[in-house]
Amino acid sequence: MTERVRPGTWRTNGPLAAGFAQLAGRVTRTAPPAIFTVLGRGRRTFWGWLAFAGTLMPFGSLPRSDSELVILRVAHLRGSDYEAAHHRSIARRAGLTGDQIEQLLSAGPEASYFTDRQQTLIAATDELIADDDLSDPTWERLHDHLDDRGCVEFLLLAGHYRMLATALHTMRIEPDQPR
């Protein structure tokens, strides 16, 4: 696949966005992540997006392991190799096991690998991505585990990563290469 939007540079993205991408690459142990070098071409929209994204992950109210579970499940459901590759190590650092990560990236995760809360998040993510809605029973089950704030954050997190998966796929962005 040929990328449709090439990664930006200091000149196209500006020094702050380019510097941020360089720093992110050191953290992820990759080249500057394409998600930042490509979206950085938007200049103003990049900073607005980054602020919004940051309020969901890493600075959201959901535990990081819950956020990473949802992100990896959306990556699988939307066929986002980029997000799956980018979040595997983040999910490990957040406390998900290698087996859980592999299960999230499979067609039908086996329940025995997950707590009731995690199973609820997986089922809600699957339903939300498939239907753009949650049934009343799924909503009630989700609300048994998350308060109103958590439910809102869950919806925004899943929707945000669905949007990212679509954008990255449409621009044909490949996973970052390790250093």
Side-chain angles (χ1 to χ4, degrees), residues 16-29:
L16 289 177
F20 177 84
Q22 289 286 333
L23 181 62
R26 287 192 180 135
V27 171
T28 59
R29 296 184 184 107

PDB file of all heavy atoms in Angstrom, residues 16-29:
ATOM      1  N   LEU A  16       7.116  22.706  16.809  1.00  0.00           N
ATOM      2  CA  LEU A  16       6.535  22.099  18.006  1.00  0.00           C
ATOM      3  C   LEU A  16       5.943  20.722  17.707  1.00  0.00           C
ATOM      4  O   LEU A  16       6.177  19.769  18.447  1.00  0.00           O
ATOM      5  CB  LEU A  16       5.465  23.009  18.610  1.00  0.00           C
ATOM      6  CG  LEU A  16       5.987  24.275  19.282  1.00  0.00           C
ATOM      7  CD1 LEU A  16       4.819  25.131  19.767  1.00  0.00           C
ATOM      8  CD2 LEU A  16       6.909  23.939  20.440  1.00  0.00           C
ATOM      9  N   ALA A  17       5.185  20.614  16.632  1.00  0.00           N
ATOM     10  CA  ALA A  17       4.585  19.318  16.271  1.00  0.00           C
ATOM     11  C   ALA A  17       5.670  18.315  15.891  1.00  0.00           C
ATOM     12  O   ALA A  17       5.602  17.143  16.273  1.00  0.00           O
ATOM     13  CB  ALA A  17       3.583  19.484  15.136  1.00  0.00           C
ATOM     14  N   ALA A  18       6.655  18.766  15.152  1.00  0.00           N
ATOM     15  CA  ALA A  18       7.746  17.871  14.759  1.00  0.00           C
ATOM     16  C   ALA A  18       8.545  17.431  15.981  1.00  0.00           C
ATOM     17  O   ALA A  18       8.924  16.259  16.103  1.00  0.00           O
ATOM     18  CB  ALA A  18       8.656  18.554  13.743  1.00  0.00           C
ATOM     19  N   GLY A  19       8.797  18.355  16.900  1.00  0.00           N
ATOM     20  CA  GLY A  19       9.507  18.006  18.127  1.00  0.00           C
ATOM     21  C   GLY A  19       8.707  17.034  18.982  1.00  0.00           C
ATOM     22  O   GLY A  19       9.261  16.091  19.553  1.00  0.00           O
ATOM     23  N   PHE A  20       7.394  17.254  19.045  1.00  0.00           N
ATOM     24  CA  PHE A  20       6.529  16.335  19.785  1.00  0.00           C
ATOM     25  C   PHE A  20       6.619  14.934  19.189  1.00  0.00           C
ATOM     26  O   PHE A  20       6.732  13.949  19.912  1.00  0.00           O
ATOM     27  CB  PHE A  20       5.077  16.830  19.776  1.00  0.00           C
ATOM     28  CG  PHE A  20       4.140  15.892  20.467  1.00  0.00           C
ATOM     29  CD1 PHE A  20       3.989  15.938  21.842  1.00  0.00           C
ATOM     30  CD2 PHE A  20       3.427  14.953  19.749  1.00  0.00           C
ATOM     31  CE1 PHE A  20       3.147  15.053  22.489  1.00  0.00           C
ATOM     32  CE2 PHE A  20       2.573  14.065  20.387  1.00  0.00           C
ATOM     33  CZ  PHE A  20       2.438  14.116  21.765  1.00  0.00           C
ATOM     34  N   ALA A  21       6.579  14.829  17.866  1.00  0.00           N
ATOM     35  CA  ALA A  21       6.663  13.526  17.195  1.00  0.00           C
ATOM     36  C   ALA A  21       8.004  12.848  17.478  1.00  0.00           C
ATOM     37  O   ALA A  21       8.058  11.635  17.704  1.00  0.00           O
ATOM     38  CB  ALA A  21       6.444  13.688  15.694  1.00  0.00           C
ATOM     39  N   GLN A  22       9.086  13.619  17.478  1.00  0.00           N
ATOM     40  CA  GLN A  22      10.410  13.064  17.796  1.00  0.00           C
ATOM     41  C   GLN A  22      10.424  12.495  19.210  1.00  0.00           C
ATOM     42  O   GLN A  22      10.905  11.381  19.442  1.00  0.00           O
ATOM     43  CB  GLN A  22      11.495  14.146  17.671  1.00  0.00           C
ATOM     44  CG  GLN A  22      11.803  14.565  16.260  1.00  0.00           C
ATOM     45  CD  GLN A  22      12.593  13.506  15.520  1.00  0.00           C
ATOM     46  OE1 GLN A  22      13.322  12.721  16.101  1.00  0.00           O
ATOM     47  NE2 GLN A  22      12.444  13.482  14.205  1.00  0.00           N
ATOM     48  N   LEU A  23       9.887  13.243  20.146  1.00  0.00           N
ATOM     49  CA  LEU A  23       9.839  12.798  21.538  1.00  0.00           C
ATOM     50  C   LEU A  23       8.964  11.549  21.674  1.00  0.00           C
ATOM     51  O   LEU A  23       9.342  10.598  22.359  1.00  0.00           O
ATOM     52  CB  LEU A  23       9.301  13.921  22.430  1.00  0.00           C
ATOM     53  CG  LEU A  23       9.206  13.605  23.917  1.00  0.00           C
ATOM     54  CD1 LEU A  23      10.585  13.298  24.499  1.00  0.00           C
ATOM     55  CD2 LEU A  23       8.569  14.774  24.644  1.00  0.00           C
ATOM     56  N   ALA A  24       7.825  11.542  21.011  1.00  0.00           N
ATOM     57  CA  ALA A  24       6.936  10.373  21.058  1.00  0.00           C
ATOM     58  C   ALA A  24       7.640   9.139  20.504  1.00  0.00           C
ATOM     59  O   ALA A  24       7.465   8.036  21.018  1.00  0.00           O
ATOM     60  CB  ALA A  24       5.657  10.656  20.280  1.00  0.00           C
ATOM     61  N   GLY A  25       8.447   9.309  19.465  1.00  0.00           N
ATOM     62  CA  GLY A  25       9.201   8.188  18.911  1.00  0.00           C
ATOM     63  C   GLY A  25      10.194   7.610  19.897  1.00  0.00           C
ATOM     64  O   GLY A  25      10.426   6.397  19.944  1.00  0.00           O
ATOM     65  N   ARG A  26      10.777   8.457  20.714  1.00  0.00           N
ATOM     66  CA  ARG A  26      11.696   7.960  21.745  1.00  0.00           C
ATOM     67  C   ARG A  26      10.938   7.133  22.779  1.00  0.00           C
ATOM     68  O   ARG A  26      11.417   6.098  23.224  1.00  0.00           O
ATOM     69  CB  ARG A  26      12.411   9.121  22.422  1.00  0.00           C
ATOM     70  CG  ARG A  26      13.450   9.742  21.527  1.00  0.00           C
ATOM     71  CD  ARG A  26      14.339  10.691  22.287  1.00  0.00           C
ATOM     72  NE  ARG A  26      15.310  11.245  21.370  1.00  0.00           N
ATOM     73  CZ  ARG A  26      15.635  12.507  21.317  1.00  0.00           C
ATOM     74  NH1 ARG A  26      15.082  13.370  22.159  1.00  0.00           N
ATOM     75  NH2 ARG A  26      16.520  12.934  20.461  1.00  0.00           N
ATOM     76  N   VAL A  27       9.754   7.611  23.150  1.00  0.00           N
ATOM     77  CA  VAL A  27       8.940   6.895  24.134  1.00  0.00           C
ATOM     78  C   VAL A  27       8.482   5.549  23.578  1.00  0.00           C
ATOM     79  O   VAL A  27       8.513   4.533  24.274  1.00  0.00           O
ATOM     80  CB  VAL A  27       7.725   7.749  24.564  1.00  0.00           C
ATOM     81  CG1 VAL A  27       6.747   6.940  25.405  1.00  0.00           C
ATOM     82  CG2 VAL A  27       8.193   8.993  25.311  1.00  0.00           C
ATOM     83  N   THR A  28       8.044   5.528  22.318  1.00  0.00           N
ATOM     84  CA  THR A  28       7.529   4.288  21.715  1.00  0.00           C
ATOM     85  C   THR A  28       8.637   3.415  21.123  1.00  0.00           C
ATOM     86  O   THR A  28       8.367   2.328  20.638  1.00  0.00           O
ATOM     87  CB  THR A  28       6.497   4.604  20.615  1.00  0.00           C
ATOM     88  OG1 THR A  28       7.109   5.408  19.595  1.00  0.00           O
ATOM     89  CG2 THR A  28       5.286   5.312  21.185  1.00  0.00           C
ATOM     90  N   ARG A  29       9.862   3.926  21.144  1.00  0.00           N
ATOM     91  CA  ARG A  29      11.017   3.218  20.577  1.00  0.00           C
ATOM     92  C   ARG A  29      10.826   2.917  19.089  1.00  0.00           C
ATOM     93  O   ARG A  29      11.115   1.823  18.606  1.00  0.00           O
ATOM     94  CB  ARG A  29      11.311   1.942  21.357  1.00  0.00           C
ATOM     95  CG  ARG A  29      11.715   2.194  22.779  1.00  0.00           C
ATOM     96  CD  ARG A  29      12.094   0.916  23.488  1.00  0.00           C
ATOM     97  NE  ARG A  29      12.392   1.180  24.876  1.00  0.00           N
ATOM     98  CZ  ARG A  29      11.600   0.847  25.889  1.00  0.00           C
ATOM     99  NH1 ARG A  29      10.473   0.228  25.669  1.00  0.00           N
ATOM    100  NH2 ARG A  29      11.942   1.131  27.123  1.00  0.00           N
TER     101      ARG A  29
END
